[in-house]
Amino acid sequence: LDAQPGSIGDRVWKDIDGDGAQDAFEPGMEGVRVYLDLNRNGQYDAGETAALTDAQGGYLLDGLLAGVYTARVDVATLPAGWAQTYDWNGELDHAAGVALTSGTAVTQADFGYRVPGTFAISGQVRDDYDADGDLADPDQPVGGVLVTLYSDPNGDGDPADGAALARLRTDAPGNSA
């Protein structure tokens, strides 16, 4: 048999809404070390195969022979205060156990981390039917409206220079909480 090298990889991302699922608006985390914990001691040791995530949070550990591996995030390379929300094995232990067969590319060994602190979008979207600026009768709530929370890095209130932090749709009575 001709053994072909395989790989383990995918993405470490900022789970902005903390739901443990990669949403399209959630960016990757750059500069996080993911390594193969060959001695299974839970720490990165010199000589262990490793990669730093790129600007999109992607990483690839390649040239691997068939075997059982533990891909692990080096928590020392995470920003302070971030909490894990997702890993492939569901144990939230910064690790993903992978049984790699010859020539296989495992591309779902993902890790999600929640931004420290909390925020909320709440309120109600209403149609100002009588255009009086007072959102009382006869104004009606509007459901199904996409509400987006943007960062404001320049403090100018312009969403064009910020990143989308969270999105949700209003419910039938127009509530966004």
Side-chain angles (χ1 to χ4, degrees), residues 53-68:
T53 55
D54 62 21
Q56 290 76 42
Y59 75 93
L60 182 66
L61 305 167
D62 60 357
L64 306 175
L65 298 176
V68 176

mmCIF file with all atom_site columns, all heavy atoms in Angstrom, residues 53-68:
data_model
loop_
_atom_site.group_PDB
_atom_site.id
_atom_site.type_symbol
_atom_site.label_atom_id
_atom_site.label_alt_id
_atom_site.label_comp_id
_atom_site.label_asym_id
_atom_site.label_entity_id
_atom_site.label_seq_id
_atom_site.pdbx_PDB_ins_code
_atom_site.Cartn_x
_atom_site.Cartn_y
_atom_site.Cartn_z
_atom_site.occupancy
_atom_site.B_iso_or_equiv
_atom_site.pdbx_formal_charge
_atom_site.auth_seq_id
_atom_site.auth_comp_id
_atom_site.auth_asym_id
_atom_site.auth_atom_id
_atom_site.pdbx_PDB_model_num
ATOM 1   N N   . THR A 1 53 ? -2.992  30.839 12.555 1.00 0.00 ? 53 THR A N   1
ATOM 2   C CA  . THR A 1 53 ? -4.126  31.166 11.695 1.00 0.00 ? 53 THR A CA  1
ATOM 3   C C   . THR A 1 53 ? -3.814  32.419 10.877 1.00 0.00 ? 53 THR A C   1
ATOM 4   O O   . THR A 1 53 ? -3.114  33.323 11.334 1.00 0.00 ? 53 THR A O   1
ATOM 5   C CB  . THR A 1 53 ? -5.412  31.379 12.513 1.00 0.00 ? 53 THR A CB  1
ATOM 6   O OG1 . THR A 1 53 ? -5.167  32.383 13.506 1.00 0.00 ? 53 THR A OG1 1
ATOM 7   C CG2 . THR A 1 53 ? -5.867  30.087 13.176 1.00 0.00 ? 53 THR A CG2 1
ATOM 8   N N   . ASP A 1 54 ? -4.373  32.444 9.656  1.00 0.00 ? 54 ASP A N   1
ATOM 9   C CA  . ASP A 1 54 ? -4.189  33.595 8.766  1.00 0.00 ? 54 ASP A CA  1
ATOM 10  C C   . ASP A 1 54 ? -5.236  34.668 9.078  1.00 0.00 ? 54 ASP A C   1
ATOM 11  O O   . ASP A 1 54 ? -6.000  34.539 10.046 1.00 0.00 ? 54 ASP A O   1
ATOM 12  C CB  . ASP A 1 54 ? -4.224  33.155 7.300  1.00 0.00 ? 54 ASP A CB  1
ATOM 13  C CG  . ASP A 1 54 ? -5.551  32.533 6.877  1.00 0.00 ? 54 ASP A CG  1
ATOM 14  O OD1 . ASP A 1 54 ? -6.602  32.762 7.523  1.00 0.00 ? 54 ASP A OD1 1
ATOM 15  O OD2 . ASP A 1 54 ? -5.554  31.797 5.866  1.00 0.00 ? 54 ASP A OD2 1
ATOM 16  N N   . ALA A 1 55 ? -5.290  35.699 8.259  1.00 0.00 ? 55 ALA A N   1
ATOM 17  C CA  . ALA A 1 55 ? -6.205  36.833 8.493  1.00 0.00 ? 55 ALA A CA  1
ATOM 18  C C   . ALA A 1 55 ? -7.669  36.419 8.516  1.00 0.00 ? 55 ALA A C   1
ATOM 19  O O   . ALA A 1 55 ? -8.494  37.077 9.133  1.00 0.00 ? 55 ALA A O   1
ATOM 20  C CB  . ALA A 1 55 ? -5.983  37.916 7.439  1.00 0.00 ? 55 ALA A CB  1
ATOM 21  N N   . GLN A 1 56 ? -8.020  35.310 7.837  1.00 0.00 ? 56 GLN A N   1
ATOM 22  C CA  . GLN A 1 56 ? -9.396  34.817 7.834  1.00 0.00 ? 56 GLN A CA  1
ATOM 23  C C   . GLN A 1 56 ? -9.628  33.743 8.904  1.00 0.00 ? 56 GLN A C   1
ATOM 24  O O   . GLN A 1 56 ? -10.690 33.150 8.970  1.00 0.00 ? 56 GLN A O   1
ATOM 25  C CB  . GLN A 1 56 ? -9.755  34.239 6.461  1.00 0.00 ? 56 GLN A CB  1
ATOM 26  C CG  . GLN A 1 56 ? -9.895  35.284 5.372  1.00 0.00 ? 56 GLN A CG  1
ATOM 27  C CD  . GLN A 1 56 ? -8.545  35.803 4.900  1.00 0.00 ? 56 GLN A CD  1
ATOM 28  O OE1 . GLN A 1 56 ? -7.609  35.038 4.720  1.00 0.00 ? 56 GLN A OE1 1
ATOM 29  N NE2 . GLN A 1 56 ? -8.434  37.098 4.719  1.00 0.00 ? 56 GLN A NE2 1
ATOM 30  N N   . GLY A 1 57 ? -8.611  33.480 9.724  1.00 0.00 ? 57 GLY A N   1
ATOM 31  C CA  . GLY A 1 57 ? -8.726  32.470 10.775 1.00 0.00 ? 57 GLY A CA  1
ATOM 32  C C   . GLY A 1 57 ? -8.414  31.070 10.304 1.00 0.00 ? 57 GLY A C   1
ATOM 33  O O   . GLY A 1 57 ? -8.542  30.119 11.065 1.00 0.00 ? 57 GLY A O   1
ATOM 34  N N   . GLY A 1 58 ? -7.990  30.920 9.052  1.00 0.00 ? 58 GLY A N   1
ATOM 35  C CA  . GLY A 1 58 ? -7.711  29.599 8.501  1.00 0.00 ? 58 GLY A CA  1
ATOM 36  C C   . GLY A 1 58 ? -6.381  29.041 8.959  1.00 0.00 ? 58 GLY A C   1
ATOM 37  O O   . GLY A 1 58 ? -5.431  29.786 9.223  1.00 0.00 ? 58 GLY A O   1
ATOM 38  N N   . TYR A 1 59 ? -6.323  27.729 9.059  1.00 0.00 ? 59 TYR A N   1
ATOM 39  C CA  . TYR A 1 59 ? -5.068  27.051 9.379  1.00 0.00 ? 59 TYR A CA  1
ATOM 40  C C   . TYR A 1 59 ? -5.046  25.706 8.662  1.00 0.00 ? 59 TYR A C   1
ATOM 41  O O   . TYR A 1 59 ? -6.088  25.170 8.284  1.00 0.00 ? 59 TYR A O   1
ATOM 42  C CB  . TYR A 1 59 ? -4.896  26.859 10.890 1.00 0.00 ? 59 TYR A CB  1
ATOM 43  C CG  . TYR A 1 59 ? -5.747  25.766 11.474 1.00 0.00 ? 59 TYR A CG  1
ATOM 44  C CD1 . TYR A 1 59 ? -5.253  24.464 11.620 1.00 0.00 ? 59 TYR A CD1 1
ATOM 45  C CD2 . TYR A 1 59 ? -7.062  26.017 11.850 1.00 0.00 ? 59 TYR A CD2 1
ATOM 46  C CE1 . TYR A 1 59 ? -6.053  23.457 12.137 1.00 0.00 ? 59 TYR A CE1 1
ATOM 47  C CE2 . TYR A 1 59 ? -7.856  25.014 12.367 1.00 0.00 ? 59 TYR A CE2 1
ATOM 48  C CZ  . TYR A 1 59 ? -7.347  23.735 12.508 1.00 0.00 ? 59 TYR A CZ  1
ATOM 49  O OH  . TYR A 1 59 ? -8.135  22.727 13.006 1.00 0.00 ? 59 TYR A OH  1
ATOM 50  N N   . LEU A 1 60 ? -3.845  25.154 8.474  1.00 0.00 ? 60 LEU A N   1
ATOM 51  C CA  . LEU A 1 60 ? -3.690  23.849 7.841  1.00 0.00 ? 60 LEU A CA  1
ATOM 52  C C   . LEU A 1 60 ? -2.482  23.154 8.433  1.00 0.00 ? 60 LEU A C   1
ATOM 53  O O   . LEU A 1 60 ? -1.383  23.709 8.462  1.00 0.00 ? 60 LEU A O   1
ATOM 54  C CB  . LEU A 1 60 ? -3.517  23.995 6.326  1.00 0.00 ? 60 LEU A CB  1
ATOM 55  C CG  . LEU A 1 60 ? -3.383  22.694 5.547  1.00 0.00 ? 60 LEU A CG  1
ATOM 56  C CD1 . LEU A 1 60 ? -4.683  21.892 5.621  1.00 0.00 ? 60 LEU A CD1 1
ATOM 57  C CD2 . LEU A 1 60 ? -3.002  22.973 4.104  1.00 0.00 ? 60 LEU A CD2 1
ATOM 58  N N   . LEU A 1 61 ? -2.712  21.955 8.930  1.00 0.00 ? 61 LEU A N   1
ATOM 59  C CA  . LEU A 1 61 ? -1.641  21.077 9.410  1.00 0.00 ? 61 LEU A CA  1
ATOM 60  C C   . LEU A 1 61 ? -1.559  19.952 8.384  1.00 0.00 ? 61 LEU A C   1
ATOM 61  O O   . LEU A 1 61 ? -2.462  19.118 8.320  1.00 0.00 ? 61 LEU A O   1
ATOM 62  C CB  . LEU A 1 61 ? -1.975  20.539 10.808 1.00 0.00 ? 61 LEU A CB  1
ATOM 63  C CG  . LEU A 1 61 ? -2.282  21.613 11.868 1.00 0.00 ? 61 LEU A CG  1
ATOM 64  C CD1 . LEU A 1 61 ? -2.907  21.000 13.102 1.00 0.00 ? 61 LEU A CD1 1
ATOM 65  C CD2 . LEU A 1 61 ? -1.023  22.389 12.220 1.00 0.00 ? 61 LEU A CD2 1
ATOM 66  N N   . ASP A 1 62 ? -0.527  19.969 7.562  1.00 0.00 ? 62 ASP A N   1
ATOM 67  C CA  . ASP A 1 62 ? -0.504  19.014 6.456  1.00 0.00 ? 62 ASP A CA  1
ATOM 68  C C   . ASP A 1 62 ? 0.731   18.120 6.482  1.00 0.00 ? 62 ASP A C   1
ATOM 69  O O   . ASP A 1 62 ? 1.577   18.236 7.366  1.00 0.00 ? 62 ASP A O   1
ATOM 70  C CB  . ASP A 1 62 ? -0.642  19.728 5.114  1.00 0.00 ? 62 ASP A CB  1
ATOM 71  C CG  . ASP A 1 62 ? 0.453   20.737 4.839  1.00 0.00 ? 62 ASP A CG  1
ATOM 72  O OD1 . ASP A 1 62 ? 1.319   20.960 5.708  1.00 0.00 ? 62 ASP A OD1 1
ATOM 73  O OD2 . ASP A 1 62 ? 0.447   21.308 3.741  1.00 0.00 ? 62 ASP A OD2 1
ATOM 74  N N   . GLY A 1 63 ? 0.771   17.209 5.506  1.00 0.00 ? 63 GLY A N   1
ATOM 75  C CA  . GLY A 1 63 ? 1.857   16.235 5.431  1.00 0.00 ? 63 GLY A CA  1
ATOM 76  C C   . GLY A 1 63 ? 1.761   15.162 6.502  1.00 0.00 ? 63 GLY A C   1
ATOM 77  O O   . GLY A 1 63 ? 2.765   14.588 6.907  1.00 0.00 ? 63 GLY A O   1
ATOM 78  N N   . LEU A 1 64 ? 0.551   14.868 6.956  1.00 0.00 ? 64 LEU A N   1
ATOM 79  C CA  . LEU A 1 64 ? 0.344   13.945 8.070  1.00 0.00 ? 64 LEU A CA  1
ATOM 80  C C   . LEU A 1 64 ? 0.080   12.523 7.586  1.00 0.00 ? 64 LEU A C   1
ATOM 81  O O   . LEU A 1 64 ? -0.682  12.315 6.639  1.00 0.00 ? 64 LEU A O   1
ATOM 82  C CB  . LEU A 1 64 ? -0.841  14.419 8.925  1.00 0.00 ? 64 LEU A CB  1
ATOM 83  C CG  . LEU A 1 64 ? -0.776  15.860 9.435  1.00 0.00 ? 64 LEU A CG  1
ATOM 84  C CD1 . LEU A 1 64 ? -2.056  16.223 10.161 1.00 0.00 ? 64 LEU A CD1 1
ATOM 85  C CD2 . LEU A 1 64 ? 0.441   16.055 10.328 1.00 0.00 ? 64 LEU A CD2 1
ATOM 86  N N   . LEU A 1 65 ? 0.680   11.566 8.262  1.00 0.00 ? 65 LEU A N   1
ATOM 87  C CA  . LEU A 1 65 ? 0.405   10.165 7.981  1.00 0.00 ? 65 LEU A CA  1
ATOM 88  C C   . LEU A 1 65 ? -0.897  9.758  8.654  1.00 0.00 ? 65 LEU A C   1
ATOM 89  O O   . LEU A 1 65 ? -1.361  10.412 9.585  1.00 0.00 ? 65 LEU A O   1
ATOM 90  C CB  . LEU A 1 65 ? 1.558   9.298  8.477  1.00 0.00 ? 65 LEU A CB  1
ATOM 91  C CG  . LEU A 1 65 ? 2.916   9.564  7.824  1.00 0.00 ? 65 LEU A CG  1
ATOM 92  C CD1 . LEU A 1 65 ? 3.992   8.700  8.465  1.00 0.00 ? 65 LEU A CD1 1
ATOM 93  C CD2 . LEU A 1 65 ? 2.843   9.334  6.326  1.00 0.00 ? 65 LEU A CD2 1
ATOM 94  N N   . ALA A 1 66 ? -1.474  8.671  8.187  1.00 0.00 ? 66 ALA A N   1
ATOM 95  C CA  . ALA A 1 66 ? -2.702  8.159  8.803  1.00 0.00 ? 66 ALA A CA  1
ATOM 96  C C   . ALA A 1 66 ? -2.446  7.912  10.290 1.00 0.00 ? 66 ALA A C   1
ATOM 97  O O   . ALA A 1 66 ? -1.368  7.472  10.683 1.00 0.00 ? 66 ALA A O   1
ATOM 98  C CB  . ALA A 1 66 ? -3.144  6.880  8.112  1.00 0.00 ? 66 ALA A CB  1
ATOM 99  N N   . GLY A 1 67 ? -3.437  8.233  11.117 1.00 0.00 ? 67 GLY A N   1
ATOM 100 C CA  . GLY A 1 67 ? -3.309  8.034  12.554 1.00 0.00 ? 67 GLY A CA  1
ATOM 101 C C   . GLY A 1 67 ? -4.361  8.822  13.301 1.00 0.00 ? 67 GLY A C   1
ATOM 102 O O   . GLY A 1 67 ? -5.205  9.495  12.711 1.00 0.00 ? 67 GLY A O   1
ATOM 103 N N   . VAL A 1 68 ? -4.301  8.751  14.608 1.00 0.00 ? 68 VAL A N   1
ATOM 104 C CA  . VAL A 1 68 ? -5.222  9.485  15.475 1.00 0.00 ? 68 VAL A CA  1
ATOM 105 C C   . VAL A 1 68 ? -4.459  10.676 16.050 1.00 0.00 ? 68 VAL A C   1
ATOM 106 O O   . VAL A 1 68 ? -3.382  10.509 16.624 1.00 0.00 ? 68 VAL A O   1
ATOM 107 C CB  . VAL A 1 68 ? -5.771  8.586  16.603 1.00 0.00 ? 68 VAL A CB  1
ATOM 108 C CG1 . VAL A 1 68 ? -6.651  9.387  17.553 1.00 0.00 ? 68 VAL A CG1 1
ATOM 109 C CG2 . VAL A 1 68 ? -6.536  7.416  16.012 1.00 0.00 ? 68 VAL A CG2 1
#
